Short mmCIF file of all heavy atoms in Angstrom, two decimals:
data_model
loop_
_atom_site.label_atom_id
_atom_site.label_comp_id
_atom_site.label_asym_id
_atom_site.label_seq_id
_atom_site.Cartn_x
_atom_site.Cartn_y
_atom_site.Cartn_z
N ARG P 236 -3.03 4.05 -8.90
CA ARG P 236 -2.74 3.36 -7.65
C ARG P 236 -2.76 1.85 -7.84
O ARG P 236 -3.69 1.30 -8.40
CB ARG P 236 -3.80 3.71 -6.60
CG ARG P 236 -3.81 5.16 -6.17
CD ARG P 236 -5.07 5.45 -5.37
NE ARG P 236 -5.21 4.54 -4.24
CZ ARG P 236 -4.68 4.76 -3.03
NH1 ARG P 236 -3.99 5.84 -2.81
NH2 ARG P 236 -4.85 3.90 -2.06
N ASP P 238 -3.08 -0.97 -5.51
CA ASP P 238 -3.37 -1.34 -4.13
C ASP P 238 -4.25 -2.58 -4.08
O ASP P 238 -4.48 -3.23 -5.11
CB ASP P 238 -4.01 -0.15 -3.39
CG ASP P 238 -5.30 0.32 -4.06
OD1 ASP P 238 -5.87 -0.43 -4.88
OD2 ASP P 238 -5.72 1.45 -3.77
N SER P 239 -4.78 -2.89 -2.90
CA SER P 239 -5.59 -4.10 -2.77
C SER P 239 -6.83 -4.05 -3.65
O SER P 239 -7.36 -5.07 -4.05
CB SER P 239 -6.00 -4.28 -1.30
OG SER P 239 -6.56 -3.09 -0.81
N ASN P 240 -7.25 -2.84 -3.97
CA ASN P 240 -8.47 -2.66 -4.74
C ASN P 240 -8.23 -2.85 -6.24
O ASN P 240 -9.10 -3.34 -6.96
CB ASN P 240 -8.98 -1.24 -4.45
CG ASN P 240 -10.42 -1.07 -4.86
OD1 ASN P 240 -11.19 -2.01 -4.79
ND2 ASN P 240 -10.75 0.12 -5.29
N ASP P 268 1.73 6.09 -8.77
CA ASP P 268 2.15 6.92 -7.64
C ASP P 268 1.85 6.29 -6.29
O ASP P 268 2.07 6.93 -5.26
CB ASP P 268 1.57 8.33 -7.74
CG ASP P 268 0.21 8.36 -8.38
OD1 ASP P 268 -0.63 7.52 -8.01
OD2 ASP P 268 0.00 9.20 -9.26
N TYR P 269 1.39 5.05 -6.31
CA TYR P 269 1.12 4.40 -5.03
C TYR P 269 1.17 2.89 -5.20
O TYR P 269 0.54 2.34 -6.11
CB TYR P 269 -0.26 4.82 -4.52
CG TYR P 269 -0.61 4.20 -3.21
CD1 TYR P 269 -0.31 4.83 -2.01
CD2 TYR P 269 -1.22 2.95 -3.15
CE1 TYR P 269 -0.62 4.24 -0.80
CE2 TYR P 269 -1.53 2.36 -1.95
CZ TYR P 269 -1.23 3.01 -0.78
OH TYR P 269 -1.52 2.42 0.41
N ILE P 270 1.92 2.22 -4.32
CA ILE P 270 1.93 0.75 -4.31
C ILE P 270 1.81 0.28 -2.87
O ILE P 270 2.50 0.79 -1.99
CB ILE P 270 3.22 0.17 -4.94
CG1 ILE P 270 3.22 0.34 -6.45
CG2 ILE P 270 3.38 -1.30 -4.60
CD1 ILE P 270 4.33 -0.41 -7.16
N SER P 271 0.93 -0.68 -2.63
CA SER P 271 0.84 -1.30 -1.30
C SER P 271 1.42 -2.72 -1.39
O SER P 271 1.86 -3.15 -2.46
CB SER P 271 -0.61 -1.37 -0.85
OG SER P 271 -1.30 -2.34 -1.60
N SER P 272 1.39 -3.45 -0.29
CA SER P 272 1.93 -4.81 -0.32
C SER P 272 1.15 -5.69 -1.30
O SER P 272 1.71 -6.62 -1.87
CB SER P 272 1.93 -5.43 1.09
OG SER P 272 0.62 -5.61 1.56
N LEU P 275 2.82 -5.11 -4.58
CA LEU P 275 4.12 -5.78 -4.63
C LEU P 275 3.95 -7.27 -4.88
O LEU P 275 4.72 -7.90 -5.60
CB LEU P 275 4.88 -5.57 -3.31
CG LEU P 275 5.39 -4.16 -3.03
CD1 LEU P 275 6.07 -4.12 -1.67
CD2 LEU P 275 6.36 -3.71 -4.11
N ARG P 276 2.91 -7.83 -4.25
CA ARG P 276 2.64 -9.26 -4.39
C ARG P 276 2.40 -9.62 -5.86
O ARG P 276 2.92 -10.62 -6.36
CB ARG P 276 1.40 -9.61 -3.55
CG ARG P 276 1.04 -11.06 -3.56
CD ARG P 276 -0.19 -11.34 -2.70
NE ARG P 276 -0.89 -12.50 -3.22
CZ ARG P 276 -1.80 -12.44 -4.19
NH1 ARG P 276 -2.13 -11.28 -4.72
NH2 ARG P 276 -2.37 -13.54 -4.64
N LEU P 279 5.65 -9.50 -7.78
CA LEU P 279 6.46 -10.67 -7.44
C LEU P 279 5.94 -11.94 -8.12
O LEU P 279 6.72 -12.76 -8.61
CB LEU P 279 6.47 -10.84 -5.91
CG LEU P 279 7.51 -11.77 -5.32
CD1 LEU P 279 8.91 -11.38 -5.74
CD2 LEU P 279 7.40 -11.75 -3.78
N LYS P 283 8.02 -14.32 -10.76
CA LYS P 283 8.15 -15.77 -10.62
C LYS P 283 7.69 -16.49 -11.88
O LYS P 283 8.33 -17.43 -12.34
CB LYS P 283 7.33 -16.26 -9.42
CG LYS P 283 7.92 -15.89 -8.07
CD LYS P 283 7.06 -16.45 -6.95
CE LYS P 283 7.51 -15.95 -5.60
NZ LYS P 283 6.68 -16.44 -4.50
N LYS P 286 10.16 -15.91 -14.75
CA LYS P 286 11.38 -16.70 -14.51
C LYS P 286 11.14 -18.19 -14.76
O LYS P 286 12.00 -18.87 -15.28
CB LYS P 286 11.86 -16.50 -13.07
CG LYS P 286 12.68 -15.24 -12.85
CD LYS P 286 13.27 -15.24 -11.45
CE LYS P 286 14.42 -14.26 -11.33
NZ LYS P 286 15.04 -14.35 -9.99
N HIS P 300 9.20 7.70 -3.60
CA HIS P 300 8.46 7.23 -2.42
C HIS P 300 7.94 5.81 -2.62
O HIS P 300 7.72 5.08 -1.65
CB HIS P 300 7.33 8.20 -2.05
CG HIS P 300 6.37 8.48 -3.16
ND1 HIS P 300 6.64 9.39 -4.14
CD2 HIS P 300 5.16 7.97 -3.44
CE1 HIS P 300 5.61 9.43 -4.98
NE2 HIS P 300 4.72 8.57 -4.58
N VAL P 301 7.76 5.40 -3.87
CA VAL P 301 7.38 4.02 -4.16
C VAL P 301 8.60 3.10 -3.98
O VAL P 301 8.52 2.00 -3.44
CB VAL P 301 6.81 3.89 -5.59
CG1 VAL P 301 6.58 2.44 -5.97
CG2 VAL P 301 5.51 4.68 -5.71
N GLU P 303 10.89 3.40 -1.91
CA GLU P 303 11.13 3.14 -0.49
C GLU P 303 10.43 1.85 -0.04
O GLU P 303 10.97 1.10 0.78
CB GLU P 303 10.62 4.33 0.35
CG GLU P 303 11.04 4.23 1.81
CD GLU P 303 10.45 5.32 2.70
OE1 GLU P 303 9.50 6.01 2.29
OE2 GLU P 303 10.94 5.46 3.82
N VAL P 304 9.26 1.60 -0.60
CA VAL P 304 8.52 0.38 -0.25
C VAL P 304 9.26 -0.87 -0.75
O VAL P 304 9.30 -1.89 -0.07
CB VAL P 304 7.08 0.45 -0.82
CG1 VAL P 304 6.32 -0.81 -0.52
CG2 VAL P 304 6.35 1.66 -0.25
N ILE P 307 12.29 -1.21 1.75
CA ILE P 307 11.91 -1.74 3.07
C ILE P 307 11.63 -3.24 2.99
O ILE P 307 12.01 -4.00 3.87
CB ILE P 307 10.66 -1.02 3.61
CG1 ILE P 307 10.98 0.44 3.92
CG2 ILE P 307 10.14 -1.70 4.87
CD1 ILE P 307 9.75 1.26 4.24
N SER P 308 10.96 -3.65 1.93
CA SER P 308 10.56 -5.05 1.81
C SER P 308 11.70 -5.94 1.33
O SER P 308 11.55 -7.16 1.29
CB SER P 308 9.38 -5.17 0.85
OG SER P 308 9.75 -4.65 -0.40
N GLY P 309 12.83 -5.33 0.98
CA GLY P 309 13.94 -6.13 0.48
C GLY P 309 13.78 -6.52 -0.98
O GLY P 309 14.59 -7.26 -1.54
N LEU P 310 12.72 -6.01 -1.63
CA LEU P 310 12.45 -6.42 -3.01
C LEU P 310 13.30 -5.66 -4.04
O LEU P 310 13.32 -6.03 -5.21
CB LEU P 310 10.96 -6.26 -3.34
CG LEU P 310 10.04 -7.27 -2.64
CD1 LEU P 310 8.58 -6.93 -2.87
CD2 LEU P 310 10.32 -8.68 -3.13
N VAL P 313 15.55 -8.11 -5.37
CA VAL P 313 14.93 -9.24 -6.07
C VAL P 313 14.61 -8.84 -7.52
O VAL P 313 14.76 -9.62 -8.44
CB VAL P 313 13.65 -9.67 -5.33
CG1 VAL P 313 12.85 -10.67 -6.16
CG2 VAL P 313 14.00 -10.25 -3.96
N LEU A 656 -13.26 -2.47 0.23
CA LEU A 656 -11.94 -2.04 -0.23
C LEU A 656 -11.94 -0.69 -0.97
O LEU A 656 -11.02 0.10 -0.78
CB LEU A 656 -11.28 -3.12 -1.09
CG LEU A 656 -10.87 -4.41 -0.36
CD1 LEU A 656 -10.24 -5.40 -1.33
CD2 LEU A 656 -9.93 -4.12 0.80
N PRO A 657 -12.95 -0.41 -1.84
CA PRO A 657 -12.88 0.88 -2.55
C PRO A 657 -12.90 2.09 -1.60
O PRO A 657 -12.51 3.20 -2.00
CB PRO A 657 -14.15 0.87 -3.42
CG PRO A 657 -14.45 -0.58 -3.61
CD PRO A 657 -14.04 -1.25 -2.33
N ILE A 659 -10.93 2.63 0.68
CA ILE A 659 -9.54 3.02 0.95
C ILE A 659 -9.13 4.18 0.03
O ILE A 659 -8.40 5.07 0.44
CB ILE A 659 -8.61 1.81 0.79
CG1 ILE A 659 -8.91 0.77 1.88
CG2 ILE A 659 -7.14 2.23 0.85
CD1 ILE A 659 -8.22 -0.56 1.71
N HIS A 660 -9.66 4.15 -1.18
CA HIS A 660 -9.32 5.22 -2.12
C HIS A 660 -9.93 6.55 -1.66
O HIS A 660 -9.29 7.60 -1.71
CB HIS A 660 -9.81 4.85 -3.52
CG HIS A 660 -9.22 5.73 -4.59
ND1 HIS A 660 -9.66 5.75 -5.87
CD2 HIS A 660 -8.24 6.64 -4.53
CE1 HIS A 660 -8.97 6.64 -6.57
NE2 HIS A 660 -8.10 7.20 -5.77
N ALA A 663 -7.83 7.80 1.07
CA ALA A 663 -6.54 8.30 0.58
C ALA A 663 -6.67 9.75 0.09
O ALA A 663 -5.79 10.57 0.34
CB ALA A 663 -6.01 7.41 -0.54
N LYS A 678 5.56 12.64 0.81
CA LYS A 678 6.10 11.36 1.27
C LYS A 678 5.44 10.93 2.60
O LYS A 678 5.16 9.76 2.82
CB LYS A 678 7.61 11.48 1.45
CG LYS A 678 8.31 10.20 1.78
CD LYS A 678 9.82 10.39 1.65
CE LYS A 678 10.58 9.17 2.11
NZ LYS A 678 10.45 8.92 3.54
N TYR A 681 2.09 9.67 1.85
CA TYR A 681 2.22 8.32 1.28
C TYR A 681 2.39 7.29 2.39
O TYR A 681 1.77 6.23 2.38
CB TYR A 681 3.41 8.29 0.32
CG TYR A 681 3.60 6.97 -0.37
CD1 TYR A 681 2.88 6.65 -1.51
CD2 TYR A 681 4.50 6.03 0.11
CE1 TYR A 681 3.04 5.44 -2.15
CE2 TYR A 681 4.68 4.82 -0.53
CZ TYR A 681 3.95 4.53 -1.66
OH TYR A 681 4.11 3.33 -2.28
N ASN A 682 3.25 7.61 3.36
CA ASN A 682 3.50 6.68 4.46
C ASN A 682 2.23 6.39 5.26
O ASN A 682 1.95 5.24 5.61
CB ASN A 682 4.58 7.22 5.40
CG ASN A 682 5.95 7.20 4.77
OD1 ASN A 682 6.17 6.58 3.75
ND2 ASN A 682 6.90 7.91 5.37
N ASN A 684 -0.89 6.86 4.20
CA ASN A 684 -1.83 6.16 3.33
C ASN A 684 -1.50 4.67 3.24
O ASN A 684 -2.39 3.82 3.23
CB ASN A 684 -1.84 6.77 1.93
CG ASN A 684 -2.91 7.85 1.82
OD1 ASN A 684 -3.98 7.74 2.41
ND2 ASN A 684 -2.62 8.90 1.07
N LEU A 685 -0.22 4.37 3.18
CA LEU A 685 0.19 2.97 3.11
C LEU A 685 -0.20 2.23 4.39
O LEU A 685 -0.75 1.13 4.34
CB LEU A 685 1.71 2.89 2.88
CG LEU A 685 2.27 1.50 2.61
CD1 LEU A 685 1.65 0.88 1.36
CD2 LEU A 685 3.79 1.55 2.46
N ASP A 688 -3.96 1.78 4.42
CA ASP A 688 -4.32 0.81 3.39
C ASP A 688 -4.06 -0.62 3.87
O ASP A 688 -4.94 -1.49 3.80
CB ASP A 688 -3.50 1.12 2.13
CG ASP A 688 -3.76 0.16 0.98
OD1 ASP A 688 -4.20 -0.98 1.21
OD2 ASP A 688 -3.51 0.55 -0.17
N GLU A 689 -2.88 -0.86 4.42
CA GLU A 689 -2.51 -2.21 4.83
C GLU A 689 -3.42 -2.72 5.95
O GLU A 689 -3.89 -3.84 5.91
CB GLU A 689 -1.05 -2.27 5.27
CG GLU A 689 -0.03 -1.86 4.21
CD GLU A 689 0.07 -2.83 3.04
OE1 GLU A 689 -0.56 -3.91 3.09
OE2 GLU A 689 0.77 -2.49 2.06
N THR A 692 -7.14 -3.03 4.66
CA THR A 692 -7.27 -4.19 3.77
C THR A 692 -7.39 -5.47 4.60
O THR A 692 -8.23 -6.34 4.32
CB THR A 692 -6.06 -4.29 2.82
OG1 THR A 692 -6.04 -3.14 1.98
CG2 THR A 692 -6.14 -5.54 1.95
N ILE A 739 12.77 -10.89 4.73
CA ILE A 739 12.94 -10.01 3.58
C ILE A 739 14.24 -10.27 2.82
O ILE A 739 14.61 -9.53 1.92
CB ILE A 739 12.85 -8.51 3.98
CG1 ILE A 739 13.94 -8.14 4.99
CG2 ILE A 739 11.49 -8.18 4.54
CD1 ILE A 739 14.17 -6.65 5.09
N ALA A 743 13.44 -14.64 -4.53
CA ALA A 743 12.13 -14.31 -5.10
C ALA A 743 11.19 -15.51 -5.12
O ALA A 743 10.01 -15.40 -4.85
CB ALA A 743 12.30 -13.78 -6.53
N GLU A 744 11.76 -16.67 -5.40
CA GLU A 744 10.94 -17.85 -5.61
C GLU A 744 10.19 -18.28 -4.36
O GLU A 744 9.12 -18.84 -4.43
CB GLU A 744 11.81 -19.02 -6.11
CG GLU A 744 12.30 -18.87 -7.54
CD GLU A 744 13.33 -17.75 -7.72
OE1 GLU A 744 13.97 -17.36 -6.71
OE2 GLU A 744 13.48 -17.26 -8.85
N ARG A 746 9.53 -16.19 -1.65
CA ARG A 746 9.27 -15.01 -0.84
C ARG A 746 7.80 -14.94 -0.41
O ARG A 746 6.92 -14.90 -1.24
CB ARG A 746 9.61 -13.77 -1.68
CG ARG A 746 9.49 -12.47 -0.96
CD ARG A 746 10.51 -12.38 0.12
NE ARG A 746 11.83 -12.15 -0.40
CZ ARG A 746 12.39 -10.93 -0.44
NH1 ARG A 746 11.73 -9.90 -0.03
NH2 ARG A 746 13.61 -10.81 -0.89
N ILE A 748 4.55 -12.97 0.94
CA ILE A 748 4.15 -11.56 0.94
C ILE A 748 3.24 -11.27 2.13
O ILE A 748 3.15 -10.15 2.59
CB ILE A 748 3.52 -11.18 -0.43
CG1 ILE A 748 4.63 -10.96 -1.45
CG2 ILE A 748 2.66 -9.95 -0.34
CD1 ILE A 748 5.50 -9.74 -1.24
N LEU A 751 3.80 -8.59 5.18
CA LEU A 751 4.60 -7.46 4.72
C LEU A 751 3.92 -6.12 5.06
O LEU A 751 4.60 -5.16 5.43
CB LEU A 751 4.83 -7.57 3.22
CG LEU A 751 6.00 -6.81 2.62
CD1 LEU A 751 7.30 -7.10 3.37
CD2 LEU A 751 6.17 -7.17 1.14
N PHE A 754 4.57 -5.15 8.56
CA PHE A 754 6.00 -4.81 8.63
C PHE A 754 6.23 -3.38 8.12
O PHE A 754 7.01 -2.62 8.70
CB PHE A 754 6.78 -5.83 7.79
CG PHE A 754 8.27 -5.59 7.76
CD1 PHE A 754 9.04 -5.76 8.91
CD2 PHE A 754 8.90 -5.21 6.59
CE1 PHE A 754 10.41 -5.54 8.88
CE2 PHE A 754 10.27 -4.99 6.56
CZ PHE A 754 11.03 -5.16 7.70
N PHE A 755 5.51 -2.98 7.06
CA PHE A 755 5.61 -1.60 6.56
C PHE A 755 5.22 -0.61 7.64
O PHE A 755 5.89 0.40 7.85
CB PHE A 755 4.69 -1.39 5.36
CG PHE A 755 5.16 -2.00 4.07
CD1 PHE A 755 4.28 -2.23 3.03
CD2 PHE A 755 6.49 -2.33 3.90
CE1 PHE A 755 4.71 -2.79 1.84
CE2 PHE A 755 6.94 -2.89 2.71
CZ PHE A 755 6.04 -3.12 1.68
N THR A 758 7.82 -0.33 10.29
CA THR A 758 9.05 0.29 9.81
C THR A 758 8.87 1.79 9.56
O THR A 758 9.75 2.59 9.89
CB THR A 758 9.50 -0.38 8.49
OG1 THR A 758 9.56 -1.79 8.71
CG2 THR A 758 10.87 0.11 8.06
N LEU A 759 7.74 2.17 8.98
CA LEU A 759 7.55 3.56 8.57
C LEU A 759 7.13 4.48 9.71
O LEU A 759 7.38 5.68 9.66
CB LEU A 759 6.50 3.63 7.45
CG LEU A 759 6.91 3.02 6.13
CD1 LEU A 759 5.71 2.92 5.19
CD2 LEU A 759 8.01 3.83 5.46
#
Side-chain angles (χ1 to χ4, degrees):
Chain P
R236 294 168 55 88
D238 58 17
S239 50
N240 197 32
D268 33 46
Y269 180 91
I270 287 191
S271 72
S272 66
L275 290 178
R276 182 179 151 274
L279 194 55
K283 288 182 188 178
K286 278 188 162 184
H300 56 279
V301 172
E303 189 185 14
V304 178
I307 293 171
S308 58
L310 289 172
V313 170
Chain A
L656 292 179
I659 294 171
H660 194 191
K678 186 168 174 294
Y681 183 83
N682 289 347
N684 268 325
L685 187 61
D688 179 336
E689 301 292 353
T692 297
I739 60 162
E744 288 69 21
R746 184 66 74 99
I748 281 291
L751 201 52
F754 180 68
F755 285 161
T758 308
L759 292 169

